Amino acid sequence: ASAPKAAETDSPIEIVLSEGCQAMSKDGCLFVPSYNVTGSGASATATKVTSGLALHPLNLHIVDINHVTKTITVVGVNAKCPALEADTELYRMASAKDQDAAMSDDPMATPTKEYNWVQRNLCTISENVFQALQEKEVTYGMAEFKEQALLDFRMQAEMTALFGGTSMVEEFVDPISQKRKLFMRGLLSFNINNIARDTANTEKVEAFLNRAMEKIFSNNNGSESRLLLYGPQFATEIANSGVWQKQLEAAHTEVKFGITWKVIETNFGQLLGIMHPGLGLCGPYSKAGIVIDPANIRRIDQLALQQTTLDLKKAGIRNSKDVTLDEAWTLEVTNPLTHALLAI
């Protein structure tokens, strides 16, 4: 993305996208890992990250899209938008719709989503009738669209659950649509432990991990066993620690929440680890490890995932097959110091 002309502002700004806007959706949300937000409310500011990882990455909300000029118009959610540097990387999260929305404005095979405090995820999957009638060498229709949509639906929701920021104002109003929007906080916004490796003084990986485990498991009344989600580059660095790598290679596993975890025993407590491919898609967070205490985090569902078929042809809106996926939920985090962000 190119830098906006203005300095820090709470007004909508235009950002030029080098790759175009095809993956973006109006009312979508983005996080910017190269900028960290400090402070709260109107005094919240976003500054460039120079070392480690952003515990509170800058969140942006898309209020308009121009596909011709390849620009998106955004407003800051958890801080005023700073003058972003050229080539700043933006990463998608779930969209945020007002309560009256029945479908997304720009249905795609790769979907968009909407949410509020009790997060409402809504995506529209659409296949044009004439597109369905065309002969294809390979069958590729609504069934495949649904599969793609669900994967993207889940991935963007997970990114919101991790990186969603705290809104600067309680009543966030879209300056373009004048609709009220509500944003769910992600895990990192609850001021969890932020532990970074001292690369300037060449701290060895094993020494860093031992220091991190002491801080994670001590003096916070957390569980003796925690979960560790780590990115691909974090996994590469672990390979440089003989003690940790031997345990990973020992194939000592445990099934929990339907997932097979690798068991890592430390002097301070037990970790159940697994590589999270999604972190590899989030720029610098590929080097991150996120420690979660399952006893101190909870997903609260208000509306279970449901599928609704829309008859837009009968309504005279569009000649297409359309299906929406909808769910409403929020994240409850207790005892934040039992969780941690590790920057290796």
Side-chain angles (χ1 to χ4, degrees), residues 308-327:
T308 304
T309 301
L310 305 178
D311 194 344
L312 299 185
K313 183 176 181 180
K314 182 179 290 186
I317 298 174
R318 186 171 57 246
N319 188 19
S320 62
K321 300 177 182 178
D322 293 88
V323 175
T324 62
L325 301 176
D326 195 4
E327 65 179 358

Side-chain angles (χ1 to χ4, degrees), residues 289-306:
I290 299 177
V291 177
I292 298 173
D293 184 351
N296 285 294
I297 191 169
R298 186 162 64 112
R299 170 180 164 139
I300 302 175
D301 287 292
Q302 186 181 67
L303 176 67
L305 180 65
Q306 64 181 23

Side-chain angles (χ1 to χ4, degrees), residues 6-227:
E8 187 177 70
T9 178
D10 53 7
S11 300
I13 61 170
E14 286 190 351
I15 297 178
V16 180
L17 301 180
S18 58
E19 300 298 327
C21 311
Q22 62 273 13
M24 300 296 177
S25 173
K26 185 180 176 183
D27 299 323
C29 296
L30 308 168
F31 74 93
V32 190
S34 54
Y35 286 82
N36 186 58
V37 173
T38 55
S40 59
S43 62
T45 58
T47 55
K48 181 77 173 177
V49 175
T50 56
S51 63
L53 296 172
L55 184 60
H56 305 293
L58 173 66
N59 283 200
L60 303 175
H61 181 58
I62 303 172
V63 296
D64 197 19
I65 295 178
N66 189 323
H67 291 279
V68 176
T69 59
K70 297 183 179 180
T71 60
I72 56 174
T73 303
V74 301
V75 292
V77 174
N78 55 346
K80 295 178 181 179
C81 187
L84 303 176
E85 295 181 357
D87 298 324
T88 296
E89 294 182 339
L90 311 175
Y91 296 89
R92 296 184 303 152
M93 298 192 298
S95 299
K97 285 285 189 181
D98 60 85
Q99 295 284 2
D100 297 331
M103 62 177 290
S104 52
D105 296 331
D106 46 356
M108 304 155 56
T110 303
T112 58
K113 308 166 191 62
E114 301 93 75
Y115 67 86
N116 61 29
W117 285 110
V118 173
Q119 180 164 345
R120 183 189 177 203
N121 287 342
L122 172 68
C123 78
T124 305
I125 310 153
S126 180
E127 182 184 29
N128 185 278
V129 169
F130 289 98
Q131 179 187 12
L133 293 175
Q134 291 174 354
E135 293 185 4
K136 306 180 181 71
E137 293 183 5
V138 178
T139 302
Y140 191 75
M142 181 58 79
E144 288 74 26
F145 288 174
K146 285 182 182 179
E147 182 180 7
Q148 285 186 352
L150 187 58
L151 290 172
D152 198 61
F153 184 78
R154 289 298 191 203
M155 179 62 74
Q156 291 191 40
E158 274 194 45
M159 296 303 100
T160 299
L162 289 175
F163 304 113
T166 306
S167 177
M168 291 186 292
V169 292
E170 186 173 343
E171 297 286 330
F172 185 96
V173 178
D174 186 322
I176 304 298
S177 69
Q178 297 300 305
K179 296 285 188 177
R180 179 172 175 260
K181 305 286 180 67
L182 300 170
F183 299 88
M184 187 185 80
R185 296 175 63 184
L187 175 63
L188 271 60
S189 73
F190 286 87
N191 292 315
I192 64 176
N193 279 307
N194 187 15
I195 310 170
R197 179 182 167 202
D198 186 2
T199 54
N201 293 325
T202 63
E203 183 179 22
K204 293 186 179 299
V205 172
E206 194 165 318
F208 161 69
L209 293 173
N210 289 334
R211 177 170 63 86
M213 293 306 102
E214 179 184 9
K215 187 168 184 178
I216 290 168
F217 284 101
S218 301
N219 304 319
N220 55 38
N221 199 31
S223 305
E224 293 182 0
S225 180
R226 317 272 174 103
L227 308 179

